Amino acid sequence: MLTRQERSPIVPEEETTTKYEIVVNEDWCKGCGFCYTFCPREVLEKSTTFNSKGYYPPEATNIDRCVGCGLCEAICPDFAIHVEEKKTKTTTKRGRK
Amino acid sequence: MTTTPKTITEGEHPILDYIRRDRLPHIFCSACGIGTVLNAFANALRSLNYDIDRLVVISGIGCTGRASGYFAADGYHTTHGRAIAFASGVKVANPDLNPVVISGDGDLFAIGGNHFIHAARRNVDMLVLCINNFNYGMTGGQMGPTTPDSAITVTSPDGNIEHPFNLVSVAAASGAVFVARWTALHARRLTKSIEKALQKKGFKFIEVISPCPTLYDRYNRHGSGLDVMKKYRELSVIRNFTDPMKAEIDYRTRIVCGEFVDTEKPEFTDLLAKQAETLQQR
Ligand SMILES: Cc1ncc(C[n+]2csc(CCOP(=O)(O)OP(=O)(O)O)c2C)c(N)n1
Ligand code: SF4
Ligand code: SF4
Ligand code: SF4
Ligand SMILES: [Mg+2]
């Protein structure tokens, strides 16, 4: 026999998944390379195209690996890169735990 | 006049509330560490939700001296070496204001050295952020009081024969209540130390070792600013509360970073107010 608690109804559960987005202000970037060198997750790469001043800005070629640590944002001398958090809520039906 | 912070719109860099965005991009060379320190300072203001109407950013002359012009707060771009004298004046005239000095090694410790040691001795409430790039950047890379032994600069082409100051040890010996050193690589630890210092009363000093790829690091063949930052990663060791006298900076062996002093002592403008009150009651 199941106890009362074990027989509790199946309720939909809300799950939050956090994704990150890297925003680069290409016009302000001076191509120092700090962000893509020191990112601990190898999310960023030097872009293959240059900006109006001839500097190569970063590109988030591996965004799925980003953990939102914010190092790129903190280390940039030119305020040219920052990370944004995108939270999405998904409702899933879960069985008993 | 104070600029009231605007609200960040989506997609904008979150520190821009504290920055005069009309002045960007800033003048600093590519891979210069000064911008990273300004970023850290703005970040600290943001995480403390700091009252910008009570903040006064003051700097002297030099590349670092341009710092005061980039913040959306009141500020003074003072004469060479006098940033701390201005900051003391601000604090004494209106103790409700919080002066923050951001200036270079040459400005604060050569021409401005006396102001530094005496404001620290008196324990006047202010935060001093010194960007140490081991030379006078703005004027073309001359040697100064922090230029290391044997280093090449335009005024020491055969190697520096002077003994440099160890800034954290000067600050501690002069009486600063908070003393820390980081490199530009330690952007987040630096931000934390700035936060801590901003919440503390008295004379606080933070030194930030910073690349000057255009002059100092070029004359000394250190490679690009990025190479210098990689070197900081290799050389820096964190030793909190180590004796500042022993916190060396040696580009061949190691750079000792950390928070070295965190203590309390009566602050100058508090003592001044107390004395004025006693005198009035007589
Ligand atoms: C009274 C006076 N003397 C000399 C100068 C020239 N001068 C301008 S900036 C500077 C040194 C700046 O060095 P530092 O404070 O280390 O700043 P950095 O440019 O390295 O950031 C000097 C000597 C001046 N502007 N005024
Ligand atoms: S937030 Fe961290 S993990 Fe993501 S790109 Fe920036 S440095 Fe890399
Ligand atoms: S740290 Fe900033 S300036 Fe340097 S390459 Fe990255 S985005 Fe550009
Ligand atoms: S000269 Fe040196 S200190 Fe001045 S902005 Fe250029 S890299 Fe920075
Ligand atoms: Mg300097």
Side-chain angles (χ1 to χ4, degrees):
Chain A
M1 269 292 280
L2 292 173
T3 65
R4 194 181 142 75
Q5 209 175 1
E6 281 164 340
R7 277 190 281 114
S8 62
I10 300 170
V11 281
E13 252 181 47
E14 250 189 354
E15 240 182 286
T16 329
T17 43
T18 315
K19 290 213 175 224
Y20 299 96
E21 205 175 277
I22 298 294
V23 185
V24 180
N25 184 339
E26 295 202 355
D27 288 341
W28 287 357
C29 171
K30 292 184 191 146
C32 68
F34 294 175
C35 57
Y36 54 79
T37 306
F38 298 114
C39 164
R41 302 277 302 161
E42 295 169 341
V43 172
L44 309 166
E45 264 182 284
K46 181 176 171 176
S47 153
T48 47
T49 53
F50 49 82
N51 68 10
S52 58
K53 294 189 183 76
Y55 293 118
Y56 291 87
E59 216 177 324
T61 45
N62 254 319
I63 191 65
D64 288 344
R65 290 180 52 80
C66 178
V67 288
C69 71
L71 183 70
C72 54
E73 176 178 322
I75 212 164
C76 174
D78 289 274
F79 325 133
I81 182 168
H82 74 275
V83 47
E84 290 201 2
E85 216 178 81
K86 301 274 171 215
K87 279 199 159 53
T88 40
K89 277 192 178 154
T90 42
T91 313
T92 45
K93 278 201 176 149
R94 281 266 181 94
R96 292 187 191 94
K97 290 209 176 100
Chain B
M1 214 197 84
T2 310
T3 327
T4 330
K6 288 186 224 112
T7 321
I8 296 294
T9 51
E10 212 188 334
E12 271 191 325
H13 199 291
I15 62 157
L16 289 182
D17 258 354
Y18 292 94
I19 299 283
R20 287 180 60 182
R21 55 184 99 195
D22 54 314
R23 305 292 304 268
L24 295 179
H26 57 53
I27 61 151
F28 310 116
C29 307
S30 164
C32 171
I34 299 173
T36 301
V37 180
L38 303 191
N39 191 347
F41 179 57
N43 250 313
L45 295 174
R46 177 168 75 109
S47 54
L48 295 176
N49 200 9
Y50 204 82
D51 182 2
I52 206 159
D53 290 335
R54 288 175 54 202
L55 173 71
V56 187
V57 185
I58 304 167
S59 45
I61 301 297
C63 293
T64 315
R66 302 294 293 254
S68 54
Y70 291 108
F71 290 93
D74 284 327
Y76 289 103
H77 188 187
T78 73
T79 45
H80 196 24
R82 312 298 168 215
I84 289 178
F86 271 77
S88 301
V90 164
K91 190 69 201 179
V92 172
N94 184 354
D96 288 337
L97 295 176
N98 302 316
V100 174
V101 170
I102 307 180
S103 216
D105 48 279
D107 184 76
L108 288 168
F109 289 93
I111 190 170
N114 249 345
H115 295 296
F116 182 90
I117 58 176
H118 292 290
R121 177 179 61 80
R122 295 182 184 116
N123 197 27
V124 186
D125 183 39
M126 68 177 76
L127 165 63
V128 177
L129 265 173
C130 174
I131 295 173
N132 183 4
N133 51 21
F134 308 107
N135 77 148
Y136 298 168
M138 177 143 278
T139 44
Q142 294 81 3
M143 53 170 277
T146 61
T147 308
D149 169 43
S150 322
I152 310 293
T153 68
V154 286
T155 45
S156 60
D158 300 306
N160 181 29
I161 54 166
E162 295 187 11
H163 304 287
F165 267 153
N166 177 350
L167 301 184
V168 290
S169 137
V170 173
S174 307
V177 294
F178 183 88
V179 178
R181 173 194 290 147
W182 297 109
T183 76
L185 179 75
H186 298 93
R188 282 178 305 178
R189 290 182 194 266
L190 168 64
T191 307
K192 287 284 168 227
S193 284
I194 296 173
E195 283 170 27
K196 205 184 267 186
L198 283 172
Q199 290 170 283
K200 197 175 163 74
K201 196 152 193 188
F203 189 93
K204 292 94 54 179
F205 176 67
I206 303 177
E207 172 186 15
V208 192
I209 312 283
S210 168
C212 170
T214 304
L215 298 160
Y216 181 75
D217 291 304
R218 183 164 57 91
Y219 288 125
N220 289 283
R221 301 180 185 279
H222 291 162
S224 68
L226 180 60
D227 291 331
V228 175
M229 291 283 269
K230 285 182 185 163
K231 196 79 179 168
Y232 293 163
R233 181 169 62 178
E234 183 190 316
L235 294 181
S236 54
V237 290
I238 298 171
R239 296 280 181 277
N240 289 321
F241 296 106
T242 198
D243 177 359
M245 280 287 281
K246 295 185 184 131
E248 80 256 40
I249 305 174
D250 191 330
Y251 209 73
R252 288 156 300 194
T253 54
R254 64 177 197 163
I255 300 173
V256 180
C257 298
E259 292 176 354
F260 306 128
V261 175
D262 190 355
T263 174
E264 305 288 332
K265 83 179 180 190
E267 190 270 331
F268 180 75
T269 56
D270 281 346
L271 292 174
L272 190 65
K274 214 181 276 174
Q275 192 173 58
E277 205 179 310
T278 335
L279 289 176
Q280 272 162 4
Q281 280 163 2
R282 256 193 221 160

